[in-house]
């Protein structure tokens, strides 16, 4: 399992990069969406430390749902009559932190979708607008915006922008096994 610990310096750099990359994104108007079935999403929400008892809101090409994170920042939600792709928004218990992510794909299935500062950056790059605006207006018409290939291209752009301070390498921030630090184990 790959341990990922985001440092405050990295978060500050990532936030700066988000502002830099905001206008550089792309997108598509493709509206191809697979038929509905069951979608199970799971992952971790973290900002270095796990986001505990945070609310995860989920909007899919078809269907929506919610989940609550555990003390380790993990969540799981199974949506009936749903279809990928999905966008996710996590809001901390105190309401001061909101981050976004995506689950690429089509149709149903089980997908890992971590929600971190890095997924926020990559989503901004892929969507060409703020992740909040993308989440708020998400529909099946934006399905191609969150395809695996568009997310890979956006990750490459973010990695290039951050390369002088953060090495992303082959990391897959949306799907990598993530073990966020917790208040009981801050050095995880």
């Amino acid at each position: 399992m790959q341990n990922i610990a985001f440092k405050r310096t990295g978060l500050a750099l990532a936030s700066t990069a988000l502002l830099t990359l905001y206008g550089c994104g792309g997108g598509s108007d493709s509206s191809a969406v697979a038929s509905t079935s069951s979608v199970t999403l799971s992952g971790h929400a973290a900002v270095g430390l796990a986001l505990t008892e945070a609310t995860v809101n989920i909007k899919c090409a078809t269907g929506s749902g919610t989940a609550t994170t555990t003390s380790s920042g993990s969540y799981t939600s199974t949506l009936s009559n749903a279809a990928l792709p999905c966008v996710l928004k996590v809001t901390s218990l105190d309401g001061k932190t909101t981050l976004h992510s995506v689950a690429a794909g089509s149709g149903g299935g089980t997908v890992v979708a971590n929600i971190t500062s890095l997924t926020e950056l990559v989503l901004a790059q892929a969507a060409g607008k703020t992740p909040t605006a993308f989440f708020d207006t998400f529909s099946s018409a934006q399905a191609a915006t969150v395809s695996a290939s568009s997310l890979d291209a956006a990750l490459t752009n973010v990695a290039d922008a951050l390369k002088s301070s953060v090495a992303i390498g082959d990391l897959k921030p949306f799907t990598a096994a993530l073990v966020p630090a917790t208040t009981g184990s801050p050095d995880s």
Side-chain angles (χ1 to χ4, degrees):
M1 186 176 283
Q2 183 179 16
N3 288 334
I4 302 169
F6 294 101
K7 303 294 181 192
R8 289 184 181 175
T9 303
L11 181 58
L13 291 169
S15 296
T16 301
L18 175 61
L19 295 174
T20 302
L21 292 170
Y22 168 68
C24 300
S28 174
D29 291 338
S30 174
S31 59
V33 176
S35 62
T36 62
S37 59
S38 177
V39 173
T40 299
L41 298 165
S42 64
H44 287 84
V47 291
L49 284 177
L51 290 174
T52 62
E53 298 180 46
T55 300
V56 179
N57 289 290
I58 304 161
K59 285 185 178 181
C60 298
T62 304
S64 62
T66 61
T68 302
T69 62
T70 66
S71 61
S72 67
S74 67
Y75 75 91
T76 300
S77 182
T78 299
L79 310 175
S80 298
N81 298 316
L84 294 166
C86 302
V87 293
L88 300 91
K89 174 176 80 171
V90 66
T91 305
S92 62
L93 185 60
D94 64 7
K96 294 181 180 178
T97 302
T98 300
L99 295 171
H100 299 83
S101 187
V102 297
S106 62
T110 301
V111 179
V112 174
N114 295 315
I115 313 168
T116 66
S117 301
L118 186 54
T119 63
E120 180 90 355
L121 286 171
V122 175
L123 179 56
Q125 175 68 21
K129 59 175 109 178
T130 67
T132 297
F134 187 73
F135 180 87
D136 290 347
T137 62
F138 184 75
S139 69
S140 60
Q142 289 94 15
T145 304
V146 292
S147 69
S149 61
S150 68
L151 293 173
D152 285 344
L155 178 59
T156 297
N157 290 338
V158 169
D160 287 346
L162 298 176
K163 68 183 171 189
S164 65
S165 56
V166 178
I168 294 175
D170 292 331
L171 175 68
K172 300 292 184 196
F174 297 99
T175 59
L178 177 63
V179 181
T182 62
T183 56
S185 182
D187 294 327
S188 290

